[in-house]
Amino acid sequence: NGESRGSLLIFILISLLAGFLSGITGPIVKSTLQNVTLPQMRGQAFALLNTFDDFGRGLGPAFVAWMIENMGGRQKAFNIGVDGWIFCGILNGMLFWTVEKDEENVRSAVESMLIQHKDCISTGGFVEEESLEEKSSLHQDWSVKDNSVSILDILEVSRFT
């Protein structure tokens, strides 16, 4: 009886840990996607994410039911499902090596759009042929403070692009 009580406790702890860890994936993926996607492309990126997410939620149970029938039982089918979660977790973990560079690329692109937008307004629609580095140094007072771009700046640029 003591052995079954210990097994039940381990099962409950593993279940709680798995439930907690699987619940935090959605917000992390969505915030990462927002940070690595240009403002004018975010709608398409989130539409694609939600399409595949909904597709998996809708067809996942039917697929598991098919696997239970054709692969020799519930345990095998659910083990395959858990293997899929583990594979996706590994892919999400691999973002660690690329996400900072991707965020920097998006920040730089938004900064360039802001510089071009401000130049276009200040010159009445005419933008001179200067390098972005020269423009950036001329407009540091409005474009970047503490290496960040405000959300209002991003929204302003996305309205005109």
Side-chain angles (χ1 to χ4, degrees):
N1 191 17
E3 187 177 310
S4 66
R5 180 176 271 169
S7 296
L8 179 62
L9 181 62
I10 289 173
F11 174 75
I12 290 171
L13 290 175
I14 289 173
S15 297
L16 288 172
L17 180 66
F20 174 75
L21 292 177
S22 69
I24 62 174
T25 303
I28 290 172
V29 168
K30 290 176 182 173
S31 63
T32 302
L33 184 61
Q34 179 158 344
N35 289 342
V36 300
T37 309
L38 291 171
Q40 63 269 27
M41 299 299 294
R42 285 187 186 140
Q44 292 172 342
F46 276 98
L48 191 62
L49 171 70
N50 288 326
T51 298
F52 281 102
D53 192 37
D54 291 344
F55 186 73
R57 288 180 197 195
L59 290 182
F63 183 64
V64 170
W66 177 85
M67 286 193 308
I68 289 171
E69 258 184 47
N70 296 305
M71 299 188 90
R74 296 175 66 85
Q75 186 170 357
K76 237 181 200 178
F78 283 107
N79 284 343
I80 291 171
V82 169
D83 289 344
W85 274 14
I86 291 170
F87 177 69
C88 289
I90 290 169
L91 291 177
N92 280 334
M94 292 172 64
L95 290 174
F96 172 80
W97 287 281
T98 64
V99 74
E100 285 185 27
K101 180 70 173 155
D102 293 337
E103 287 174 343
E104 177 62 27
N105 289 341
V106 168
R107 190 195 65 73
S108 296
V110 169
E111 181 181 341
S112 296
M113 286 189 294
L114 288 171
I115 291 168
Q116 291 172 354
H117 174 67
K118 293 289 185 178
D119 282 348
C120 187
I121 289 174
S122 67
T123 60
F126 177 74
V127 179
E128 297 176 16
E129 295 292 324
E130 296 178 43
S131 71
L132 286 179
E133 290 81 23
E134 293 170 4
K135 289 179 184 179
S136 179
S137 65
L138 294 173
H139 299 288
Q140 290 234 335
D141 58 322
W142 61 264
S143 64
V144 178
K145 292 180 177 50
D146 300 326
N147 291 330
S148 64
V149 177
S150 78
I151 190 67
L152 294 175
D153 291 336
I154 293 170
L155 292 174
E156 183 71 19
V157 168
S158 64
R159 277 187 22 211
F160 295 100
T161 56

